[in-house]
Every structure is written in structure tokens, then in C-alpha cells.
Amino acid sequence: MTSQEQKFSQIDEVSSCFCIAKWLQVTIDLVHGTNHSCHHPKRHKIPLDQLAKDPSALHNTLFKKQQRKIMLEGTRPPECSYCWTVEDTEGRGISDRYIKSTDPWAYPHLEKVKQLAWKENINPTYVEVMFDKVCNLACSYCLADISSSIANEMRKFGPYPVHNKSHRDFQETAAELVGEVNPYVEAFWKWFPEILEDLEVFRITGGEPLLNSNTFKVIDYLGSSVSKKLTLAVNSNLCLEDHLIKKFTKGINQLLVEGRIKDFELYASVDTYGQQAEYIRNGLDYSQFIKNVEYFCSEAPSSRVVMMCTYSVLSIPGFDKLLKELSELKKKYSNLILDISFLRHPEYLRANMVTPDLVTKIAGDIELMKELATFSEYEIGKLTRIYDWVSAGATKDQNNLYRMDFYSFVNEYDRRKGTNFLESFPELGEFYTVCRKTKMLLG
Ligand code: SF4
């Protein structure tokens, strides 16, 4: 059995900056015709001339091959600065380069990747794809580039009156630039049959994937083949009409029952409880969401359902109620798990700019998770890490800037959406006053 440290050494033996993700993992945005591997480097354009010659350019662009080349030569690709920063900190910096390279979809292929000349194409084992950005929600923290509802809002109202205006800004899609047929989606369907045999993880993101016919085309395609090592994953806001939820659930359950794929994971997003969750994710119907979670859990029982919480300042007041609701659901459905990550962008919604009383609330929620006795150590650890980050706080300058922008953002958001922040979040009234005073003094 090779230990984790031995695996790390084997990775470094290839070169001090070698990373298998550069060969085997890709996130492809078929709307704008870009990709990156892994998700840390900036997305780069997939040139249409390269794609016309070979659909594998969806992953194996000349640009990416150059990055692989310099990695093999022992030079750090600048686009991977996320990892170099971690590795240059004091102590043993275990960057994602090590973590990803030793993941189950990467490490077993080390020898194959090592033997490959830098110019060669390779099939990825981990693919994440966005077919479309059509989405029925316009979440407060989301981007115009991945939600048509936000793009429409930004066309109508323009930028928010905050310091960093780029967050919700948008650009024209590849499909809009080249006509009705999207060449990237066309190339995907030529390429997918070629890579299926090697695929271990295939994840569909959006937009809302259930609103795009390609998601159902994938399910149909997989229903006519057998992919024994494939984990299929789909993100969804689950705030959709019953007929779509039923069609989707039936299709996935059939894939599992017939043994067409190894596993299925549904990533369903909600960030706090009830009406406050509806404020954060504009367009969400919380009751419908919970009803659909229950439906999927019970009708596709051998799948895994991950509740994804993007934890922002707005998650804090009602998070205990969400935990209690999830705890009851977990008693009924053993296939349901909670995942919490902290929101980084936009900065003005970050939880680490809050006042001390709200930090105490998070500590109480960690205790609540323990008392409920339905959450695993892994799940509790996720909220504990958020507590550590929030309690470390931001710098004074960051607090001032983010609080001013928070105040400006929620007022403008209320104007655009017809919502009322103080009625929705009475527990954040004092924090709102702090932000307003900061804006009056410094804004
Ligand atoms: S080195 Fe880091 S940033 Fe670059 S591909 Fe690997 S994991 Fe991603």
C-alpha cells in the first residue's frame, strides 16, 4: 500500500510542479467556449480552428499543452498561482496539486500520463461541463455569465453601485457570437462517445441543467451503454416544475437500477432556511425545493444527494432552522449529506466581515449540529472551518469597504427585486446600521 507521502514523492519525481489535473481534469464552459484545468486557473478560450480539426480541443488546447510542457520541464505555469502560493507558505504546504494528483480519478493514471509526450492528446477522467446558462433563479451572489436571469437583470438595470462592479457583469455568449448553433456543444457530442470509456466523473453544471435538453440527452445516451466506473453528477436548484423533476428522477434511477453507471450525485443548492433562503436565491420557492429533495431522495434511493450551502453573511441568522430541517430529513433519507463552503465572491457578502454577536451565533450552530446527532464529523467540520475563518475576521480596511458595499448592494437589490432586507433579516438590523454608518462616514 502506497502511503499518501509516498504518492506525493512520486508526483514530485516527475517534476517539482507536475500536476495530473492538467492532463486529466477539465471544466468546460460550452456557452463561452472556454476551459480550464483544474478550476483554479483562469479560463482560456478554445480556438474554433483547433476545434474544427479535432473536438478533443475542448480539453487539449494548444495553450494547455504548453502549460503541460513547462510543467514537465520543471517550470511553474503562472496560471497555477493558487497552488504555488500554498506551497510557498511556511511549513508543509499541501496544495491542490498534491491533493488532486492523488485523487482516485488521477493517481492510478500516473504512469500513463508520465509516458505521454507533451504534444499528445489525452482523454480526461474528470469532466465538468456547462451546456447552457439558462437559469430560472437570480441568486444574490451569482454571475451573469452563468445565469440568464442575472444577465437580463444587468441589461435592464446596469451595474450595482459597489466598488467592484465586475462581479455581476456579463459578456455575449459564444452561441450569440456565431449564430444559433453553438459549435462547442456540437463538438461536445462528437467527443463524448470517444471519452466515455475513460470517464470516471462527469458533472453537469449550469445555468440550471434540468432546463437544458442536453442534460436529458446525456441521461438517454448513458442509458444505452454501460459505464461501470462512471460517477455522474448534476447540480440543480430543484426549483422546477413537477414534470421535469419526475422525468429527471426516473431517468437517473433507471441508470442506477440497470447498472449503467457506478454512482449518481445530485448537488442541490440552498444557503439557509425558508424566506431568508428565498431572499438569497431570488426566484427560489423553499417549500418546493424541500419537497423535490424528498421526492428525489425517496425515488432514487441509491443516489447521493448533497445539499450545497454557500455560506454568506445572509446564511447566519436562519442557519439553525435549516440544520433542524436537514436533521429531520437525514433521519428519513440516509443518502442525504450536507456540504458547506464559504462564499468568497462578491466580497461584500462574505461572512467574515460580521460583528462579534453574529460570530457567536455560528459557534452555537456548531453545538447544535453535535446535539442533533445526525450530522457526521465531516459535516460538522465544514461549519467549524467556517467559524474559524469568520472569527479570524477581515482587516479593518476590508471591513470598511465590504460593509459599505453590503449596504449599497442590499438597498439596490431590494429596489430591483421588490424585496425588503430589514423585514427579511430583522436579526441583521444592527449589522445593517453598522454598515450604513460606515457608508455615511467613508462612502
Ligand atoms: S497545479 Fe494546482 S492550479 Fe494547477 S492544475 Fe494542478 S491543482 Fe490546478
Side-chain angles (χ1 to χ4, degrees):
M1 187 85 156
T2 316
S3 73
Q4 198 67 355
E5 280 299 329
Q6 284 170 320
K7 289 179 183 174
F8 292 167
S9 301
Q10 290 171 343
I11 300 300
D12 280 341
E13 273 166 24
V14 182
S15 100
S16 61
C17 51
F18 173 70
C19 173
I20 301 180
K22 194 65 80 194
W23 278 258
L24 296 184
Q25 185 179 38
V26 64
T27 296
I28 311 169
D29 173 348
L30 295 170
V31 180
H32 302 98
T34 60
N35 86 31
H36 51 168
S37 62
C38 57
H39 58 286
H40 295 310
K42 220 171 134 220
R43 289 159 194 251
H44 66 274
K45 195 81 190 159
I46 302 164
L48 283 170
D49 58 335
Q50 291 175 29
L51 200 64
K53 286 186 204 135
D54 180 2
S56 120
L58 285 174
H59 169 50
N60 297 296
T61 57
L62 287 179
F63 173 82
K64 194 181 290 173
K65 288 177 180 175
Q66 288 293 339
Q67 309 312 302
R68 292 173 185 163
K69 179 172 185 276
I70 60 177
M71 260 188 179
L72 291 171
E73 290 168 351
T75 305
R76 291 174 163 187
E79 68 164 6
C80 295
S81 59
Y82 182 90
C83 283
W84 317 140
T85 305
V86 174
E87 291 180 23
D88 290 344
T89 51
E90 260 181 62
R92 179 80 165 99
I94 304 295
S95 67
D96 270 7
R97 178 173 77 87
Y98 290 106
I99 294 167
K100 285 177 180 289
S101 294
T102 51
D103 270 344
W105 50 266
Y107 179 75
H109 309 289
L110 171 62
E111 286 307 314
K112 180 181 165 187
V113 172
K114 262 168 64 177
Q115 303 304 329
L116 208 72
W118 68 269
K119 279 186 179 163
E120 296 295 320
N121 288 340
I122 188 166
N123 285 348
T125 54
Y126 189 122
V127 174
E128 194 171 287
V129 72
M130 174 166 97
F131 286 115
D132 197 351
K133 69 174 197 175
V134 171
C135 186
N136 48 332
L137 305 192
C139 303
S140 53
Y141 52 76
C142 193
L143 308 165
D145 280 348
I146 56 173
S147 165
S148 55
S149 297
I150 295 177
N152 290 339
E153 176 203 314
M154 298 306 284
R155 280 194 193 99
K156 184 171 174 192
F157 293 103
Y160 278 78
V162 292
H163 286 84
N164 180 1
K165 292 185 174 33
S166 65
H167 180 74
R168 268 168 105 82
D169 217 354
F170 72 98
Q171 49 181 288
E172 295 305 318
T173 67
E176 283 163 350
L177 289 174
V178 296
E180 280 192 2
V181 177
N182 182 327
Y184 299 100
V185 175
E186 283 194 324
F188 171 84
W189 281 110
K190 284 186 195 146
W191 186 52
F192 189 59
E194 287 174 25
I195 62 168
L196 186 54
E197 201 184 330
D198 294 310
L199 267 185
E200 295 177 32
V201 181
F202 182 63
R203 183 163 174 170
I204 306 175
T205 67
E208 168 49 51
L210 270 60
L211 291 176
N212 187 275
S213 60
N214 285 290
T215 301
F216 291 96
K217 197 169 163 185
V218 167
I219 295 171
D220 287 346
Y221 193 90
L222 294 175
S224 61
S225 58
V226 176
S227 308
K228 284 277 178 211
K229 55 187 178 183
L230 178 67
T231 296
L232 175 66
V234 175
N235 290 8
S236 177
N237 62 46
L238 285 190
C239 205
L240 299 153
E241 291 176 18
D242 287 353
H243 73 94
L244 278 177
I245 299 288
K246 282 186 180 157
K247 182 179 171 190
F248 174 69
T249 308
K250 188 176 169 202
I252 296 300
N253 195 45
Q254 204 162 328
L255 292 181
L256 292 167
V257 169
E258 293 177 2
R260 304 278 177 186
I261 55 174
K262 182 166 141 248
D263 287 312
F264 178 78
E265 292 171 352
L266 174 66
Y267 290 85
S269 301
V270 71
D271 312 310
T272 191
Y273 178 80
Q275 197 226 330
Q276 294 184 344
E278 291 173 355
Y279 184 98
I280 297 172
R281 296 175 67 74
N282 186 264
L284 170 76
D285 177 334
Y286 182 82
S287 306
Q288 184 187 31
F289 171 82
I290 294 292
K291 184 189 87 172
N292 287 336
V293 167
E294 290 217 56
Y295 179 79
F296 191 87
C297 284
S298 60
E299 297 296 314
S302 50
S303 61
R304 231 159 67 104
V305 179
V306 183
M307 294 280 249
M308 279 200 312
C309 296
T310 305
Y311 198 92
S312 72
V313 58
L314 303 176
S315 303
I316 299 174
F319 208 70
D320 54 326
K321 295 191 203 79
L322 178 68
L323 291 171
K324 286 176 191 160
E325 173 123 33
L326 289 186
S327 180
E328 290 306 310
L329 291 178
K330 280 163 78 67
K331 286 177 194 165
K332 287 200 252 177
Y333 309 108
S334 58
N335 53 345
L336 182 66
I337 66 163
L338 172 64
D339 194 14
I340 318 168
S341 58
F342 60 85
L343 178 125
R344 286 176 196 270
H345 300 288
E347 291 98 336
Y348 51 78
L349 292 177
R350 283 184 185 180
N352 71 338
M353 59 159 175
V354 294
T355 42
D357 53 315
L358 294 166
V359 183
T360 310
K361 166 75 172 59
I362 305 174
D365 287 349
I366 295 170
E367 291 312 308
L368 174 66
M369 284 182 97
K370 292 176 187 165
E371 282 162 25
L372 290 169
T374 45
F375 293 98
S376 66
E377 273 184 34
Y378 173 84
E379 291 169 307
I380 297 169
K382 287 282 183 150
L383 190 58
T384 306
R385 268 194 287 281
I386 284 172
Y387 171 77
D388 292 343
W389 177 68
V390 172
S391 56
T395 66
K396 191 176 169 203
D397 286 347
Q398 285 171 334
N399 273 341
N400 285 338
L401 182 64
Y402 301 163
R403 288 173 182 178
M404 280 193 284
D405 279 352
F406 175 82
Y407 176 77
S408 304
F409 176 78
V410 295
N411 289 338
E412 177 63 13
Y413 189 76
D414 281 351
R415 188 179 77 82
R416 294 180 183 197
K417 311 287 181 195
T419 47
N420 186 316
F421 175 75
L422 287 173
E423 277 177 15
S424 301
F425 293 88
E427 309 92 333
L428 292 180
E430 281 182 33
F431 176 67
Y432 178 87
T433 304
V434 169
C435 295
R436 182 169 58 82
K437 284 184 180 161
T438 310
K439 173 82 178 164
M440 285 165 67
L441 277 172
L442 306 172

